[in-house]
Amino acid sequence: MMIDQILTSFVASAAFGIIFNAPRHSIIKSGFVGMFGWCIYSLLVADADTDAIVATLVAAFAIAIVSQVFAKLYKTPIIIFNVAGIIPLVPGTLAYNSMRNIVENNYALAAQFGAKALMISGAIAMGLVLSEIFNQMIRRVRL
């Protein structure tokens, strides 16, 4: 089951890199970034029994760190790896369930799904921002 998820996250990230019109040489690397992030997320949720929001925060932070390393290593803009790598973490199912429950007039459940989708989206943004702060701190220490 885990191998299926790993392969699916790789394909989703690489395919989004294609849709995002990333350079050809970075598509496989973008897939690896997304696969790495999904592995961290699924290990934290399944094995460590961590909340999905905290696991998303940690996985987004790790994705951003790996993206910074790849961007520097391959002389490619960081956004190529960040955007494609984050795709497996996006809470699309939660947002869909929220909208579906609004249409079905089940507002309490819609609010529950919507709130969780917003918190996970915030955790993704927070992970990316924390990574940039971490990167800036390291740069200042070096100088």
Side-chain angles (χ1 to χ4, degrees):
M1 183 71 171
M2 183 72 171
I3 293 176
D4 293 342
Q5 290 182 10
I6 290 171
L7 289 175
T8 303
S9 63
F10 175 84
V11 169
S13 296
F16 196 80
I18 293 169
I19 292 170
F20 190 58
N21 208 11
R24 288 181 190 250
H25 62 87
S26 65
I27 291 173
I28 300 294
K29 297 164 190 124
S30 297
F32 279 115
V33 172
M35 183 178 70
F36 175 73
W38 183 256
C39 286
I40 289 176
Y41 173 81
S42 59
L43 286 173
L44 286 174
V45 169
D47 295 342
D49 199 32
T50 308
D51 184 51
I53 298 165
V54 174
T56 302
L57 175 70
V58 172
F61 182 80
I63 286 170
I65 293 291
V66 171
S67 295
Q68 288 172 358
V69 170
F70 276 15
K72 190 172 279 191
L73 195 64
Y74 299 113
K75 295 178 176 55
T76 308
I78 191 170
I79 191 104
I80 302 270
F81 303 114
N82 266 347
V83 171
I86 288 295
I87 291 302
L89 299 179
V90 172
T93 304
L94 291 172
Y96 169 78
N97 285 333
S98 178
M99 289 297 119
R100 189 190 68 192
N101 282 298
I102 287 173
V103 170
E104 293 174 354
N105 294 329
N106 192 353
Y107 299 115
L109 198 54
Q112 185 178 8
F113 283 126
K116 189 161 186 176
L118 283 173
M119 286 189 282
I120 288 175
S121 299
I124 291 171
M126 187 79 93
L128 294 174
V129 169
L130 287 175
S131 169
E132 186 58 34
I133 291 170
F134 183 71
N135 187 31
Q136 293 295 326
M137 286 173 42
I138 288 174
R139 285 184 186 177
R140 287 187 184 172
V141 168
R142 283 187 195 166
L143 294 176

